[in-house]
Amino acid sequence: MENRGVQRLSTWWKGLTPKRRNLWLVTATAMVIAVASGAFYATRVQYVTLFSGLEAQQANAIVEALQAERVDYRLADSGRSVLVPKGQVHELKIRIAGEGLYNTGVGFELFDRTNIGLTDFERRLNYQRALEEELRRTIVYFPEIEQARVHVVMPEQSVFVQNTQPATASVTVKTGAFSTLSPEQVKGIIYLVTLSVPNLKPENVAVIDVSGRILSDGLSMGSDSSPMSARQTEQKRAFEQELEKKVTAMLERVYGPGKAVVLVSAELNFDQETVTRIIYDQEGQVVRSEQIREENYAGTSAQNGGIPGTGSNIPTYPVQSNGGADSSSYSTTDRVTNYEINSTHSTVVTAPGGVVSISTAVTVDASLSAEEKAELNELVQAAVGYNNVRGDSLIVTSFKFNTEHIDRSLADMDEYVRSERMQQYIRYGMSAAGALLGAIMLFVIISRLAAALGSSSTGLTPQTVDLVPLQQAIKEVAQARESQETESALRKVKEMARNQPEEVAQLLKAWFNEG
């Protein structure tokens, strides 16, 4: 049965013209390509990033571990990123992190191995290396930090106190995209390093990022810091930003988003003042104490005085005598009154952070008349709390903003979105075209095989019949333009169909086979 089928196919293939054979070869090749493409897209492995931003030593350790586990991987970003199949990324990340391959530095596990031949210098050097690595591992736990390096300088101890040098340290960090470290986080890093290294003061620790910015500059690290501490600077900037946000939101509602720029500079008083006031009430007098002394006297008095000398100064008992004397009396009153004066004691404590003056600059992207500028000036004054007595200043201007960089960024973004959308459409189109081409090829193959088997069973081929006269007649019908010529050609075709029915059938069958 199989030999008969092969024989039929062989006979059918030999009976084809070279043109038909080439058509079949192209069709088979296209079908193979379509099936292979569909199988590739259906079974391809999608790779995702396992770790990125790696150093050469870290990438080498991770690649060796993946090779030992026989895991397929890809390298990207000049070897700084390692990609693995999507279905294994979480398992591999946990395994590699657990084995310590991501952190290639050696921490205190350096002392797990006992080495008797170490000198004192080598032992101190190993301790410094281990301490730096342990600090680095702790610092990279910050979500904003991708990588960090810690360098500690610990001077040799001296027997003379005056020759003792303080320790110093520097920390270099690399933050992630769109991530920054707050002053409190930088402070935390400084205190972490300070409390981990002997004889290290906070002011001797420098924190910088990979772009060269000194993150620890200007931070308040204790009581010895400058009067303008970081907290005061943050409070001042927060007050300015709040005013800027309010005025910007108001102006953007009028002129549109991005059409207004507001800058506020405020001077705040951070001096704490305590005032004690005592107020006396003169009208509200209250008697605290009062003393009254009264003296009354009644009697006689002699008209003549005594003889000068001692005798006249010696007191004697009075002798009543009716002659030569006059009667007398007197009355005296003394009053002493002490008053309690009412007083009010008040203590006023002025909290730091009072506003001394505010300077505001406003620029809008619009053409303003003098009247509109005056209205805008009053509007901004009310928004920022303008006080002329306090010495505030306000400047309102209007300019045409330069938006070339924004337009360029928007154009690049649109081009990127358009490119991504086009690539997605191409992928969808290729998938649909592959599926449609496969269906068409399958249908064509089935129809061709059926036609080949039918023609081989009858033993007749289109080439065995002389169909030239009939083809010529049909060609004349197709080329006829006038109605009389068309009717004449049709009559000739009908006559030939009646006289040669087998030839007409073979011609129609040949046309169907040619598609």
Side-chain angles (χ1 to χ4, degrees):
M1 188 69 181
E2 293 181 358
N3 294 332
R4 185 180 299 176
V6 173
Q7 186 177 4
R8 288 181 178 180
L9 289 176
S10 178
T11 304
W12 169 77
W13 179 258
K14 292 178 180 179
L16 295 177
T17 62
K19 182 178 180 181
R20 297 289 298 276
R21 290 179 182 179
N22 294 334
L23 179 62
W24 273 102
L25 290 175
V26 172
T27 302
T29 304
M31 185 174 179
V32 170
I33 294 175
V35 173
S37 301
F40 171 76
Y41 282 103
T43 59
R44 68 173 181 171
V45 180
Q46 183 179 2
Y47 287 86
V48 296
T49 302
L50 178 65
F51 292 107
S52 61
L54 298 174
E55 299 180 358
Q57 187 177 2
Q58 292 176 325
N60 180 46
I62 294 175
V63 167
E64 289 181 353
L66 295 177
Q67 290 177 349
E69 296 289 337
R70 296 183 178 179
V71 177
D72 294 334
Y73 66 91
R74 298 287 186 274
L75 295 178
D77 192 17
S78 301
R80 297 175 57 87
S81 299
V82 179
L83 287 71
V84 296
K86 184 177 181 181
Q88 303 177 356
V89 60
H90 300 295
E91 179 184 355
L92 292 174
K93 183 173 292 186
I94 294 174
R95 186 184 306 173
I96 291 175
E99 294 177 358
L101 298 177
Y102 184 68
N103 297 323
T104 56
V106 181
F108 283 120
E109 61 270 13
L110 181 64
F111 297 96
D112 293 342
R113 300 183 299 271
T114 303
N115 194 343
I116 303 177
L118 284 178
T119 62
D120 183 62
F121 173 77
E122 293 175 339
R123 188 177 293 106
R124 287 189 288 106
L125 184 61
N126 287 340
Y127 172 75
Q128 181 175 338
R129 289 174 51 198
L131 181 61
E132 291 175 351
E133 176 60 22
E134 293 294 336
L135 289 174
R136 189 196 70 83
R137 293 178 183 179
T138 305
I139 292 173
V140 295
Y141 275 113
F142 283 83
E144 294 81 5
I145 298 177
E146 289 186 353
Q147 295 183 14
R149 293 291 300 273
V150 180
H151 301 279
V152 178
V153 177
M154 294 187 294
E156 296 184 4
Q157 297 181 355
S158 176
V159 295
F160 301 101
V161 178
Q162 62 270 19
N163 295 334
T164 302
Q165 298 295 327
T168 58
S170 64
V171 180
T172 305
V173 297
K174 179 184 178 182
T175 57
F178 306 104
S179 299
T180 56
L181 292 176
S182 64
E184 293 298 327
Q185 289 175 320
V186 177
K187 260 194 202 179
I189 295 175
I190 293 176
Y191 279 116
L192 171 67
V193 178
T194 301
L195 299 177
S196 302
V197 180
N199 299 325
L200 181 59
K201 297 181 180 180
E203 56 268 20
N204 292 335
V205 180
V207 180
I208 64 176
D209 60 4
V210 292
S211 61
R213 293 188 302 116
I214 303 177
L215 305 179
S216 58
D217 190 17
L219 292 180
S220 174
M221 302 305 300
S223 58
D224 297 335
S225 60
S226 60
M228 194 61 174
S229 63
R231 187 175 297 276
Q232 294 175 354
T233 304
E234 292 176 6
Q235 183 177 353
K236 175 178 178 294
R237 188 55 191 151
F239 176 75
E240 294 171 349
Q241 289 178 349
E242 183 65 24
L243 291 180
E244 292 173 356
K245 187 185 301 183
K246 289 169 54 179
V247 179
T248 303
M250 177 184 66
L251 296 180
E252 286 185 347
R253 294 290 298 272
V254 179
Y255 299 101
K259 297 293 184 179
V261 177
V262 180
L263 296 177
V264 177
S265 177
E267 182 180 355
L268 305 181
N269 183 13
F270 292 99
D271 298 334
Q272 186 173 358
E273 182 181 3
T274 303
V275 180
T276 302
R277 294 186 179 92
I278 302 177
I279 302 174
Y280 295 97
D281 188 6
Q282 299 179 357
E283 297 179 356
Q285 297 179 354
V286 179
V287 177
R288 181 176 64 181
S289 63
E290 185 176 16
Q291 181 180 1
I292 301 175
R293 179 175 174 272
E294 296 182 356
E295 183 179 354
N296 296 319
Y297 175 76
T300 58
S301 59
Q303 296 181 352
N304 299 324
I307 300 173
T310 304
S312 62
N313 292 328
I314 298 174
T316 59
Y317 293 100
V319 179
Q320 185 175 2
S321 175
N322 293 328
D326 297 330
S327 61
S328 63
S329 63
Y330 66 88
S331 176
T332 303
T333 302
D334 295 332
R335 181 186 297 271
V336 178
T337 304
N338 296 322
Y339 294 94
E340 187 71 34
I341 300 176
N342 291 341
S343 62
T344 303
H345 296 260
S346 62
T347 301
V348 179
V349 179
T350 304
V355 179
V356 178
S357 63
I358 298 176
S359 300
T360 309
V362 178
T363 303
V364 295
D365 185 8
S367 299
L368 301 178
S369 61
E371 183 179 356
E372 292 175 343
K373 186 176 292 186
E375 293 178 352
L376 181 59
N377 199 328
E378 295 178 358
L379 192 64
V380 176
Q381 286 182 4
V384 300
Y386 180 85
N387 190 346
N388 192 19
V389 178
R390 192 170 54 193
D392 296 350
S393 62
L394 173 63
I395 298 177
V396 177
T397 59
S398 60
F399 292 101
K400 182 64 178 178
F401 289 1
N402 186 0
T403 58
E404 292 181 358
H405 61 289
I406 299 178
D407 297 338
R408 193 181 307 111
S409 300
L410 292 176
D412 294 341
M413 187 178 299
D414 293 340
E415 182 65 25
Y416 175 76
V417 172
R418 191 181 303 110
S419 176
E420 288 292 327
R421 187 181 296 111
M422 183 61 64
Q423 291 181 3
Q424 186 176 8
Y425 289 161
I426 291 174
R427 289 193 294 267
Y428 290 161
M430 290 179 63
S431 301
L436 181 60
L437 183 61
I440 293 175
M441 292 299 104
L442 182 62
F443 176 76
V444 170
I445 289 174
I446 295 175
S447 61
R448 296 292 185 180
L449 289 176
L453 294 176
S455 62
S456 62
S457 62
T458 58
L460 297 175
T461 59
Q463 287 79 9
T464 59
V465 182
D466 186 11
L467 303 177
V468 175
L470 181 59
Q471 293 178 353
Q472 186 65 28
I474 295 175
K475 186 176 181 180
E476 293 177 359
V477 174
Q479 293 178 353
R481 296 183 179 180
E482 298 180 358
S483 59
Q484 294 179 357
E485 296 178 357
T486 304
E487 292 178 358
S488 175
L490 287 175
R491 285 197 300 270
K492 184 184 293 186
V493 171
K494 291 179 181 179
E495 183 179 356
M496 294 181 66
R498 286 194 298 269
N499 297 332
Q500 301 176 350
E502 296 180 356
E503 288 80 352
V504 173
Q506 292 295 328
L507 178 62
L508 294 177
K509 189 174 182 179
W511 285 351
F512 284 127
N513 290 335
E514 291 179 358

